[in-house]
Amino acid sequence: MAYASKKEEESGLSSYYNNKTTIIQEARVFNDSPISPRKCRALLTRIVYLLYIGETFGAQEATTLFFGTTKLFQHKDSALRQMVYLAIKELATTAEDVIMVTSSIMKDMQPNSEVIYRPNAIRALCRIIDPSMAQGVERFFKAAIVDRTPSISSAALVSSYHLFPLAKDVVKRWVNEAQEAVNAKSSSSFFPGSSGSGYLFGSSGSSNSGYQPIPSTSYITQYHALGLLYLIRQQDRMAVTKMIQQLGGGKSGAGTTLKNSMALCMLIRYAAKVMEEDPNMQKQILDLMEGWLRHKSDMVNFEAARAICEMKNVNTLQLTKAIAVLQIFLASPKPVLKFSATRTLAALALTHPAAVASCNVDLENLISDQNRSVATYAITTLLKTGNEASVDRLMKQITGFMSEITDEFKVIIVDAIRSLCIKFPTKHVSMLAFLSGVLRDEGGYDFKRAVVEAMFDMIKFIADCKEQALSHLCEFIEDCEFTKLSVRILHLLGLEGPKAPQPTKYIRFIYNRVVLENATVRAAAVTSLAKFGVNAVDDGLRRSIGVLLNRCLDDVDDEVRDRAAMYLRVMKEAPLADAYVKEESVFSLAALESKLVAYVNDVDAGAQPFDTSSIPKISRAQLAAESTRPSTLDLIAAPATKRTSASPPPPTAAETQSAYAQQLAEISHFVEYGAILNSSAKPAQLTESETEYQVTCVKHIFKEHMVFQFNVSNTLPDTVLEQVVVVMQPQADSGLTEDVVFQIDSLTCSNSPGIVYVSFKRDNPQEYTTTSFQCILKFISKELDPSTGRPEEEGYEDEYQLEDVELSAGGDYIIPSYASFSSEWDRLRSGASATETFSLGAMESIKAACDSIIELLNMEPLGGTEAPSSPSVHTLQLSGLVIGGGGKVLVRCRMTFSRGQGVTLELGVRAEQQSACALVVSVVGG
């Protein structure tokens, strides 16, 4: 085809040349007589080009072009015929009535047709046929899969792969042909030649082209055939395991029939997946992996080594051979091998630094490698595997090339240093000097954030460097261009600065932000200054802070003015300072959001002010732990493996309760019950995991009602359950009356789990009812007709005994909530209180008693008291909220332990309500 010149491109002729309207108009060349192959090929190329760059044709336009293209079938030009098939394949998804050209395409799929365009015909046919026609073309595909010409066989295998989701049952019957393609001893090249295998059509050795097959060295057909085989067998683990063992070639790997390196790499990945799913196969597959480590292909060696390094629970002995192979790659002249090896070793060093340490000499040689990506991974690995003596030398080498690498790799190095600080705290001087140096360098937000967070960790874990690190951060915010980082540093200065020996030296840097920065940073600076004022021991410093805050009252931004006014008031009144500045607990944000949403959606709630007393609190440390980002080192330095694609973290209790509230709000009957006071944090399992029917229970407590949510799963694919209900029988005098039951009309394996709701009315809402329920699952069981997939007319009633459901005080009426124990304990001195003594003779240690009490009461342990420091005497402090207006409750458990007598417990309870005290004592007294 003719290409537009540079001048034509500049003048806009190129856009006209590849314009959709122009191309549709020029499609008249398909009707010329005689046909010009050169013009038609050029136009078809332009059509395909437009489709590849994202241009779309309407259904009518695509249909016109499609059927115009099919007129070229009669021409004998092979190159034109190839372009025709390429255009047909791309237009088939948009054009209408494309199935009409099936017979013409199938004619070119015959074994006696030209080899040059037979693969194109196979690929085009795959796009055109619908699932119902797959059986009609089965014999053509079977013959093509075992064809001796690689291009034909590969086209058939890849097309079968794409047909599989549409016609699984038909493609599964081609497994023998795919197996034959995998085991093929010889193949021929792309060039025309003997194009048949004699299958179904007899011998086709006398093709009209006259060429003979030329042996190919790529064996790419094996790669495509292996992919199809696995797709067919992936649900049958035994079949996949057998395939791996047959194709693996034994312990040495020499007996394998696979000649294609990519096919072997694919087989290794399948083997690694089987090993992950079935730990019993680990030894057999590990032997195969070690055989593949000796393969002549570097690609196969690396894939096997990486698979071994990523094994679950792999030990140092099993890693020896894989690390030896990666060590050889470190000395390779090929950059890709060095990069692959260093990247894999960097990931492995996170879990097995001692095993990787044997490669340290080779890795040090790579620090000066001209490929800075290789050098970065080498240094990152050395930082994790090196000893304390090598830290200073490595820091000097890192400094030399930090300016030559991208921000992405700078983050990797900074995160490695961040973990090294904790490992070798005595080396904090050199590491802090390095971090402060790179903090002054040019860089983006992610890089600067990584450096700042590394300093934050040093301040948190290494007390000796706190003052110096804070000084470096103060200098950084003088010219920091990132608002988020400035705000975070000012917040840290407000927390750590007042505790420093000389807090006044930080105030100048903070007040400079009030003068020079934007409103967001100014507001953060005001808060930081206020913390210095509230926590100041020196009255002179407090007065100076007051003067600075008074100046902020004239700020142009209302947020800054409001904060300054508030903190001036707070500094004058100690109770306000305790509540707004010194308070160590904060509301659980997810719980706060859930309560606010319920308050806004409740029409009647607007008459009353929003009540925060029922919202659980958490410590600032817990809040920080919840919002902690994953290490950038884990995300970037480690290869994209199963580890990085792990499932997301489970939702918090408050998030789970919010989700339950949304579910219940969809049922109008439950809307009348009002707001949910509490929902179970974790569903209770009422059946064994192996049973055919699986049931879990979630309890929802309202002011005057109890709702039990049963999640029912049917694991039998050939059975449907109808009219599914759960019959609950409470103990006598439980104080609960059944209100309503919502059943599941129909439950199959595919729509499981379904939900059964059983509601009870609380006879006395002020009482905290504790009882147990006998539960029976009742349903009508019907068989599914395998031909129609519909249930049979007649079924039979059946029932299934479930585990009892317990309504307990600790798990259902008490919510964990953080508090400052000493101040709250003193505050509740005049409130309700109770003291009881218990003998816990069955407890074998104070630690066991602590664990049991925490689990029983479902309360928040405070101040690390859940871990006893003495085996004989201990005090456990707990805090919680009692739902339904019970308010805050604190528990102090004084315990002594002696052999033979167990644990003696003095239980002290203080609460805002007497009923809450009685509830806690009744739980422990049982």
Side-chain angles (χ1 to χ4, degrees):
M1 64 173 284
Y3 290 91
S5 68
K6 186 175 178 68
K7 283 187 178 180
E8 288 173 331
E9 288 180 357
E10 291 173 352
S11 63
L13 288 176
S14 177
S15 60
Y16 169 78
Y17 182 73
N18 288 321
N19 182 275
K20 183 171 73 171
T21 306
T22 307
I23 287 175
I24 292 172
Q25 290 173 350
E26 291 181 9
R28 293 190 299 268
V29 298
F30 298 149
N31 301 321
D32 289 351
S33 182
I35 289 172
S36 170
R38 187 185 65 80
K39 288 183 179 178
C40 291
R41 284 202 309 271
L43 185 60
L44 290 171
T45 303
R46 289 159 63 192
I47 293 171
V48 173
Y49 169 75
L50 279 184
L51 290 167
Y52 280 177
I53 63 172
E55 186 67 73
T56 55
F57 288 92
Q60 183 60 43
E61 295 169 340
T63 304
T64 302
L65 288 173
F66 183 88
F67 285 102
T69 303
T70 58
K71 295 175 183 178
L72 306 176
F73 269 126
Q74 304 303 319
H75 203 278
K76 299 299 182 184
D77 187 271
S78 297
L80 175 60
R81 191 76 69 88
Q82 283 184 289
M83 276 308 304
V84 166
Y85 279 123
L86 192 58
I88 284 175
K89 184 163 72 77
E90 298 303 323
L91 290 168
T93 55
T94 312
E96 298 172 347
D97 301 324
V98 295
I99 208 164
M100 293 171 61
V101 300
T102 304
S103 58
S104 300
I105 295 175
M106 289 175 67
K107 182 180 177 183
D108 280 349
M109 283 181 61
Q110 299 292 342
N112 59 354
S113 62
E114 282 280 359
V115 176
I116 193 75
Y117 50 75
R118 193 173 160 204
N120 302 85
I122 293 170
R123 292 190 185 94
L125 184 68
C126 169
R127 293 288 185 94
I128 286 172
I129 62 173
D130 58 29
S132 61
M133 293 182 61
Q135 194 163 352
V137 298
E138 182 175 4
R139 64 192 185 97
F140 294 104
F141 273 94
K142 281 187 172 182
I145 288 172
V146 295
D147 198 286
R148 290 169 58 198
T149 306
S151 58
I152 295 173
S153 182
S154 289
L157 288 164
V158 175
S159 298
S160 304
Y161 194 95
H162 292 303
L163 274 177
F164 185 79
L166 306 175
K168 289 183 180 176
D169 294 335
V170 176
V171 177
K172 281 181 179 178
R173 296 200 292 263
W174 306 346
V175 65
N176 291 333
E177 285 70 28
Q179 186 71 53
E180 188 177 336
V182 168
N183 296 327
K185 299 296 181 187
S186 63
S187 60
S188 61
S189 73
F190 173 80
F191 300 108
S194 180
S195 58
S197 64
Y199 184 83
L200 290 177
F201 299 100
S203 174
S204 58
S206 56
S207 171
N208 58 1
S209 64
Y211 291 106
Q212 292 300 317
I214 301 173
S216 169
T217 56
S218 71
Y219 295 93
I220 192 64
T221 305
Q222 292 185 330
Y223 172 67
H224 296 141
L226 183 64
L228 180 61
L229 266 182
Y230 180 76
L231 190 68
I232 293 171
R233 295 174 172 173
Q234 62 182 342
Q235 302 301 330
D236 186 351
R237 189 187 298 169
M238 292 300 295
V240 173
T241 305
K242 187 178 179 182
M243 177 184 76
I244 292 167
Q245 291 171 338
Q246 287 176 342
L247 299 175
K251 288 187 177 182
S252 66
T256 180
T257 56
L258 297 177
K259 308 294 183 187
N260 182 270
S261 296
M262 288 191 292
L264 268 170
C265 289
M266 187 68 72
L267 189 69
I268 292 169
R269 294 184 183 184
Y270 296 154
K273 188 174 181 182
V274 168
M275 187 165 51
E276 183 182 6
E277 293 172 352
D278 185 5
N280 296 325
M281 291 297 300
Q282 189 180 73
K283 188 176 184 309
Q284 298 176 40
I285 292 181
L286 186 61
D287 290 341
L288 288 173
M289 296 272 192
E290 290 178 350
W292 289 323
L293 288 173
R294 296 186 290 272
H295 195 271
K296 61 184 179 181
S297 168
D298 292 335
M299 187 193 305
V300 176
N301 298 155
F302 171 71
E303 194 66 40
R306 188 176 69 168
I308 293 172
C309 292
E310 292 170 1
M311 279 168 48
K312 284 183 179 178
N313 305 317
V314 63
N315 57 48
T316 306
L317 185 62
Q318 292 169 330
L319 287 169
T320 306
K321 294 180 180 178
I323 290 176
V325 169
L326 294 174
Q327 192 170 4
I328 294 171
F329 287 171
L330 293 176
S332 170
K334 299 177 181 176
V336 68
L337 288 180
K338 289 189 287 189
F339 178 81
S340 307
T342 51
R343 194 164 186 252
T344 305
L345 290 170
L348 184 62
L350 291 169
T351 52
H352 294 82
V356 181
S358 60
C359 303
N360 281 4
V361 175
D362 299 278
L363 288 167
E364 288 196 22
N365 294 333
L366 294 177
I367 292 177
S368 57
D369 194 274
Q370 60 182 359
N371 187 319
R372 285 315 189 193
S373 301
V374 173
T376 303
Y377 278 121
I379 284 186
T380 305
T381 311
L382 286 168
L383 288 172
K384 285 177 260 180
T385 60
N387 52 35
E388 195 167 358
S390 64
V391 170
D392 292 331
R393 176 167 47 84
L394 286 173
M395 298 302 292
K396 289 179 182 177
Q397 290 175 304
I398 293 170
T399 308
F401 75 94
M402 280 293 284
S403 60
E404 301 175 22
I405 58 176
T406 61
D407 277 8
E408 182 182 10
F409 286 107
K410 286 179 182 177
V411 169
I412 294 174
I413 289 177
V414 169
D415 267 336
I417 292 170
R418 179 183 178 184
S419 59
L420 200 67
C421 295
I422 315 302
K423 188 177 179 182
F424 303 125
T426 57
K427 294 292 181 181
H428 69 267
V429 176
S430 60
M431 287 185 272
L432 189 58
F434 170 79
L435 291 174
S436 63
V438 297
L439 199 56
R440 290 190 290 269
D441 294 343
E442 292 294 324
Y445 171 73
D446 288 331
F447 168 54
K448 292 298 176 79
R449 184 185 66 174
V451 179
V452 168
E453 288 185 348
M455 286 189 168
F456 280 9
D457 278 358
M458 293 181 75
I459 291 169
K460 182 178 180 181
F461 297 110
I462 307 172
D464 293 342
C465 73
K466 182 181 293 187
E467 195 170 350
Q468 189 66 33
L470 288 174
S471 299
H472 287 309
L473 290 173
C474 284
E475 292 173 8
F476 172 64
I477 60 173
E478 286 290 300
D479 57 356
C480 176
E481 58 185 311
F482 304 108
T483 299
K484 283 184 179 180
L485 291 182
S486 295
V487 169
R488 290 189 62 188
I489 292 169
L490 287 167
H491 174 70
L492 182 73
L493 286 170
L495 293 176
E496 300 293 342
K499 304 173 189 175
Q502 295 178 319
T504 52
K505 69 179 182 180
Y506 305 116
I507 293 174
R508 174 174 63 86
F509 295 99
I510 298 172
Y511 187 68
N512 282 348
R513 301 306 100 219
V514 177
V515 177
L516 301 171
E517 289 287 356
N518 58 49
T520 305
V521 178
R522 294 203 305 273
V526 166
T527 302
S528 186
L529 281 173
K531 289 176 181 176
F532 277 83
V534 168
N535 294 295
V537 180
D538 182 11
D539 288 338
L541 176 60
R542 188 189 296 268
R543 286 194 299 272
S544 300
I545 297 291
V547 171
L548 296 178
L549 290 177
N550 268 305
R551 292 178 185 174
C552 298
L553 293 175
D554 298 326
D555 196 275
V556 294
D557 186 77
D558 55 352
E559 172 73 15
V560 179
R561 293 195 304 271
D562 291 348
R563 285 197 186 196
M566 185 191 79
Y567 284 122
L568 282 169
R569 174 78 179 275
V570 163
M571 286 172 61
K572 295 174 184 176
E573 300 182 26
L576 291 178
D578 292 338
Y580 290 105
V581 178
K582 295 181 180 180
E583 176 63 53
E584 285 298 315
S585 62
V586 293
F587 288 118
S588 168
L589 295 181
L592 178 62
E593 180 188 20
S594 175
K595 295 288 184 183
L596 282 170
V597 169
Y599 180 78
V600 170
N601 292 336
D602 189 352
V603 179
D604 301 327
Q608 299 293 329
F610 181 67
D611 181 19
T612 60
S613 62
S614 62
I615 302 172
K617 289 188 174 183
I618 58 176
S619 66
R620 294 188 185 277
Q622 288 174 310
L623 180 66
E626 285 181 8
S627 59
T628 299
R629 69 179 182 91
S631 170
T632 317
L633 185 63
D634 295 338
L635 298 179
I636 302 175
T641 63
K642 293 98 180 170
R643 282 196 293 270
T644 57
S645 60
S647 59
T652 63
E655 290 170 340
T656 304
Q657 183 160 340
S658 179
Y660 288 143
Q662 290 179 4
Q663 280 184 333
L664 293 169
E666 294 173 2
I667 301 173
S668 58
H669 187 85
F670 295 150
V671 173
E672 301 170 1
Y673 290 178
I676 302 175
L677 300 180
N678 190 30
S679 294
S680 306
K682 186 185 296 183
Q685 194 76 32
L686 303 184
T687 57
E688 298 292 335
S689 58
E690 298 84 10
T691 55
E692 58 269 31
Y693 311 121
Q694 297 178 8
V695 183
T696 60
C697 179
V698 178
K699 291 163 280 186
H700 308 289
I701 301 177
F702 294 83
K703 184 177 181 180
E704 297 180 356
H705 294 84
M706 299 257 185
V707 175
F708 297 87
Q709 172 184 326
F710 294 93
N711 305 312
V712 186
S713 295
N714 173 19
T715 62
L716 302 176
D718 54 353
T719 303
V720 61
L721 309 182
E722 294 184 349
Q723 300 176 29
V724 183
V725 296
V726 176
V727 178
M728 300 183 70
Q729 184 61 46
Q731 292 177 338
D733 301 327
S734 63
L736 298 173
T737 306
E738 187 174 294
D739 180 25
V740 67
V741 177
F742 290 94
Q743 68 177 21
I744 303 172
D745 295 328
S746 178
L747 184 68
T748 62
C749 183
S750 59
N751 68 0
S752 292
I755 298 177
V756 174
Y757 289 107
V758 182
S759 171
F760 285 85
K761 184 175 177 59
R762 300 168 66 181
D763 297 341
N764 187 352
Q766 279 70 42
E767 289 185 0
Y768 299 105
T769 304
T770 57
T771 185
S772 64
F773 299 79
Q774 292 181 350
C775 300
I776 299 174
L777 180 69
K778 289 192 173 185
F779 51 86
I780 297 174
S781 180
K782 293 183 180 181
E783 297 292 324
L784 285 174
D785 188 335
S787 58
T788 62
R790 296 179 179 177
E792 297 177 351
E793 292 294 330
E794 295 185 0
Y796 61 91
E797 292 187 5
D798 200 357
E799 60 182 46
Y800 194 86
Q801 185 69 44
L802 305 176
E803 297 285 340
D804 288 358
V805 172
E806 299 287 340
L807 195 59
S808 61
D812 298 311
Y813 297 112
I814 302 175
I815 304 171
S817 179
Y818 182 85
S820 176
F821 187 83
S822 57
S823 60
E824 284 295 312
W825 186 259
D826 291 339
R827 184 180 71 83
L828 296 172
R829 186 191 302 275
S830 59
S833 63
T835 305
E836 296 282 347
T837 303
F838 301 94
S839 177
L840 310 178
M843 294 296 169
E844 298 179 351
S845 67
I846 286 183
K847 179 69 171 74
C850 288
D851 293 342
S852 298
I853 293 169
I854 293 170
E855 183 180 1
L856 192 64
L857 294 176
N858 189 38
M859 296 176 74
E860 181 76 27
L862 303 176
T865 56
E866 69 274 17
S869 55
S870 168
S872 56
V873 180
H874 183 63
T875 300
L876 173 65
Q877 300 171 347
L878 300 172
S879 171
L881 289 175
V882 178
I883 65 171
K888 182 165 288 187
V889 59
L890 296 181
V891 175
R892 183 179 65 190
C893 304
R894 290 174 172 170
M895 292 174 278
T896 60
F897 173 77
S898 60
R899 292 194 177 277
Q901 296 183 0
V903 174
T904 302
L905 167 67
E906 182 194 82
L907 182 75
V909 185
R910 290 184 182 178
E912 294 176 345
Q913 302 288 336
Q914 186 61 48
S915 58
C917 275
L919 178 68
V920 172
V921 173
S922 67
V923 172
V924 179

